[in-house]
Amino acid sequence: FVDSSREILQHLRELQEWIQQINISLLNSPTMLLLGPAGAGKTHLICDMASNRSKRGFKSIVLFGKQFYSGEPWTQIISILGLSPNISRDDFLEMLSTTAEISRYPLIIFIDALNESKPRDIWLSYLASMVEDIKRYPWLRLCVSCRSTYYDSVISERLQIPKVKHTGFEGIEFDACFEFFKRYALELPATPLMQPEFTNPLFLKLVCE
């Protein structure tokens, strides 16, 4: 009984620590910003999320920063999706919202790697207004990502948006190395690889190759 009680208490402490780590602002926000270094896996994460949502019947739109140039982003998104240029921003968002409501789950618009837009500072002018536009539609969500090193040149300091950091394989380095070495048919190292570079998925992939 004593051992069981101690085990339960340990699980409760772990649960409490996990809850404290959650970004509470995300729970009530329709928008979020994913940050991380190059090669951390931001693009793979976004594509995996959209793919998994699609398999469950949920609607998503995945766009990439390199598709954007100088000018108003909603107009560009309408063009990227091959829709008529006569469709207004409000009509477009209303269409997406109706689609999401029919599916009974929010539709997420993903824009990956804002820092790859040319010029990348277009988001300093337009991202805040896009966030406000999304807030007007309860069935819509917006998730954007940016490389951490370009944060100041892409994201306005006045923008209020919950931020999540992608830490790659941090905390699971050994498991990641094991899976990668096995995938590439390489001999496993005798000791765990403790260098911080091995938390980066792209670095680990290049090493194995």
Side-chain angles (χ1 to χ4, degrees):
F1 177 78
V2 174
D3 290 340
S4 297
S5 298
R6 288 174 178 169
E7 186 176 349
I8 292 173
L9 289 173
Q10 177 61 30
H11 287 316
L12 289 174
R13 281 192 290 268
E14 292 174 356
L15 177 62
Q16 183 180 26
E17 292 175 359
W18 178 75
I19 291 174
Q20 291 173 344
Q21 293 173 359
I22 295 176
N23 189 337
I24 300 300
S25 60
L26 279 174
L27 299 179
N28 298 311
S29 175
T31 61
M32 68 165 283
L33 169 63
L34 180 64
L35 293 168
K42 301 182 295 299
T43 299
H44 281 85
L45 175 61
I46 285 176
C47 291
D48 283 346
M49 289 176 62
S51 176
N52 290 334
R53 297 186 87 249
S54 177
K55 292 175 182 177
R56 298 161 65 190
F58 305 161
K59 307 301 180 182
S60 306
I61 295 175
V62 179
L63 305 163
F64 300 94
K66 61 184 178 182
Q67 295 175 290
F68 291 83
Y69 49 87
S70 182
E72 201 279 318
W74 287 124
T75 302
Q76 297 184 57
I77 292 174
I78 291 172
S79 175
I80 292 169
L81 295 178
L83 301 176
S84 169
N86 297 323
I87 298 176
S88 68
R89 175 201 60 189
D90 291 338
D91 287 343
F92 173 64
L93 293 175
E94 189 65 45
M95 289 166 54
L96 297 184
S97 180
T98 300
T99 300
E101 188 172 3
I102 291 173
S103 73
R104 298 186 179 182
Y105 289 94
L107 181 150
I108 302 180
I109 301 172
F110 296 96
I111 307 179
D112 180 50
L114 299 183
N115 51 280
E116 293 184 1
S117 301
K118 294 182 179 181
R120 67 174 65 98
D121 61 3
I122 66 169
W123 304 107
L124 292 173
S125 302
Y126 290 106
L127 186 56
S129 62
M130 292 184 71
V131 168
E132 293 304 314
D133 291 336
I134 290 293
K135 289 180 179 179
R136 294 190 288 114
Y137 296 89
W139 289 96
L140 299 183
R141 304 289 186 269
L142 176 67
C143 174
V144 298
S145 76
C146 178
R147 190 178 300 180
S148 302
T149 49
Y150 290 103
Y151 178 85
D152 291 335
S153 60
V154 176
I155 308 299
S156 170
E157 61 181 11
R158 297 187 300 274
L159 179 64
Q160 300 296 317
I161 184 171
K163 304 174 184 64
V164 175
K165 183 179 179 181
H166 194 313
T167 57
F169 293 143
E170 184 177 329
I172 57 169
E173 295 91 340
F174 179 79
D175 293 336
C177 287
F178 178 83
E179 292 298 330
F180 268 68
F181 277 57
K182 184 172 67 173
R183 170 66 177 80
Y184 284 88
L186 299 173
E187 184 178 351
L188 292 172
T191 58
L193 301 170
M194 304 304 294
Q195 293 89 338
E197 291 82 5
F198 284 94
T199 64
N200 187 293
L202 180 58
F203 177 84
L204 183 54
K205 178 177 181 289
L206 292 175
V207 167
C208 289
E209 288 180 346

